[in-house]
């Protein structure tokens, strides 16, 4: 029992100490979106470069906060880089389903927000993100874990709005 929890803690600490895709992109042309979690003081800044195929060509993460918020942002960036916006939104739904959060304002369309996890594209595995599963036991920390994903979705909304006009 403790073996798995130890492994999860190791993964979270690894992402916290060596965050993936840490840094900034020049915005514009990249899109810059900030997210805050006032409950914990977490800050996540997402920089997105989206190519003509609506694919995330590059993503950088900046910000500061607790280990849960920053490691989640690191894992999120690694999980969505190279994916299309649609795939990334699907992954967001999968992650948030794991976090047992049902917010109506996520994803924009909301069409698949209530889809069961089993229906999710098998290729969209959570991987390291599974390590955050234990956060559900601490409701006050869930906002820490979902902050980067909410910020990512907000970034998509803004990026799509800009490119569609
Ligand atoms: Zn936090």
């Amino acid at each position: 029992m403790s073996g798995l929890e130890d492994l999860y803690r190791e993964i979270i600490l690894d992402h916290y100490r060596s965050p993936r895709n840490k840094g900034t992109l020049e915005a514009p042309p990249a899109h810059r979106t900030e997210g805050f979690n006032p409950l914990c003081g977490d800050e996540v800044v997402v920089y997105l470069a989206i190519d003509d195929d609506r694919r995330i060509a590059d993503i950088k993460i900046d910000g500061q906060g607790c280990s849960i918020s920053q490691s989640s942002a690191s894992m999120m960036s690694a999980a969505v880089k190279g994916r299309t916006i649609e795939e990334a939104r699907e992954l967001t739904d999968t992650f948030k389903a794991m976090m047992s959060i049902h917010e109506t304002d996520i994803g924009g369309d909301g069409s698949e927000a209530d889809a069961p996890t089993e229906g999710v594209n098998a290729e969209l595995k959570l991987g390291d993100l599974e390590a955050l599963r234990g956060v559900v036991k601490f409701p006050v920390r869930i906002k820490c874990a979902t902050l980067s994903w909410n910020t990512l979705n907000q970034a998509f909304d803004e990026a799509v709005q800009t490119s569609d006009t």
Side-chain angles (χ1 to χ4, degrees):
M1 164 186 169
S2 64
L4 191 60
E5 287 181 10
D6 284 348
L7 174 66
Y8 283 171
R9 190 161 50 237
E10 279 299 310
I11 293 172
I12 291 170
L13 282 177
D14 178 49
H15 277 272
Y16 182 57
R17 290 175 182 143
S18 316
R20 320 297 196 263
N21 303 300
K22 178 87 176 172
T24 63
L25 294 173
E26 195 182 340
H31 298 276
R32 179 185 188 278
T33 304
E34 284 180 33
F36 292 100
N37 172 21
L39 290 175
C40 183
D42 305 318
E43 177 189 10
V44 168
V45 186
V46 173
Y47 293 85
L48 272 186
I50 296 170
D51 67 17
D52 293 340
D53 299 326
R54 294 167 62 84
R55 198 171 283 279
I56 301 168
D58 203 359
I59 180 170
K60 292 287 183 193
I61 304 292
D62 204 3
Q64 55 195 349
C66 70
S67 58
I68 299 292
S69 67
Q70 301 306 307
S71 63
S72 177
S74 169
M75 294 180 204
M76 181 273 286
S77 71
V80 303
K81 190 172 178 178
R83 295 199 183 279
T84 63
I85 292 177
E86 286 68 28
E87 288 170 340
R89 283 197 195 275
E90 205 173 328
L91 201 56
T92 303
D93 288 343
T94 306
F95 180 75
K96 296 191 69 126
M98 184 178 83
M99 288 287 120
S100 304
I101 280 194
H102 301 284
E103 291 175 2
T104 49
D105 59 341
I106 292 309
D109 59 352
S111 56
E112 297 194 5
D114 295 327
T117 6
E118 308 89 67
V120 167
N121 186 339
E123 277 189 29
L124 298 177
K125 288 276 175 25
L126 287 170
D128 282 359
L129 289 159
E130 293 273 356
L132 291 169
R133 187 180 287 278
V135 173
V136 175
K137 285 184 279 185
F138 309 96
V140 72
R141 310 307 299 277
I142 292 178
K143 292 259 182 226
C144 302
T146 55
L147 173 64
S148 56
W149 295 88
N150 290 336
T151 309
L152 178 71
N153 268 279
Q154 194 188 329
F156 286 153
D157 290 343
E158 292 169 4
V160 168
Q161 237 171 21
T162 313
S163 62
D164 282 357
T165 50

